[in-house]
Amino acid sequence: MFGFWDWVGGRYSMDSAIGLSTMISRSARAFPGVLAGFHAMDEHFRTTPFDRNLPVLLGLLTVWYRDFFGAQTLGVMPYEQYLKRFPLISSSLRWSRTEST
């Protein structure tokens, strides 16, 4: 178990100490690409108008379905064959959703 600060949380966990296991499993050479993807999404969020801003739109949809339709669950579906085992890590997904809300 790797230690990390008690203030680490939400989507930023991956690019701090908690992401070390991911970096090791994916290789240190591939991890800068992951960080570049985080940066690209951060820039998209910071600079894109709200009507085309993906994080804003997804957040609004979550509020809409939870508050106005009474949805109590959130479906995350694999979209390619390499993610077929993704449902097996649902406990990690549950943790990340709880941490982010």
Side-chain angles (χ1 to χ4, degrees):
M1 179 63 91
F2 299 107
F4 57 95
W5 307 277
D6 61 355
W7 50 265
V8 172
R11 95 136 189 79
Y12 296 101
S13 296
M14 281 298 299
D15 55 353
S16 66
I18 195 93
L20 180 60
S21 59
T22 303
M23 183 185 74
I24 292 169
S25 71
R26 301 282 45 156
S27 91
R29 284 181 292 194
F31 202 67
V34 173
L35 296 179
F38 289 156
H39 179 71
M41 184 52 73
D42 288 344
E43 288 301 306
H44 168 80
F45 174 68
R46 189 175 70 78
T47 61
T48 303
F50 280 1
D51 65 331
R52 292 175 299 162
N53 193 305
L54 295 177
V56 169
L57 294 174
L58 288 173
L60 289 172
L61 281 173
T62 300
V63 170
W64 177 263
Y65 283 115
R66 185 188 60 219
D67 292 352
F68 299 109
F69 285 92
Q72 297 179 10
T73 59
L74 174 68
V76 178
M77 312 301 172
Y79 55 86
E80 110 173 34
Q81 72 173 7
Y82 296 109
L83 296 173
K84 67 182 177 187
R85 295 187 182 272
F86 186 75
L88 297 175
I89 61 167
S90 62
S91 63
S92 297
L93 182 62
R94 232 180 355 260
W95 173 77
S96 70
R97 288 291 307 153
T98 302
E99 186 179 89
S100 297
T101 55

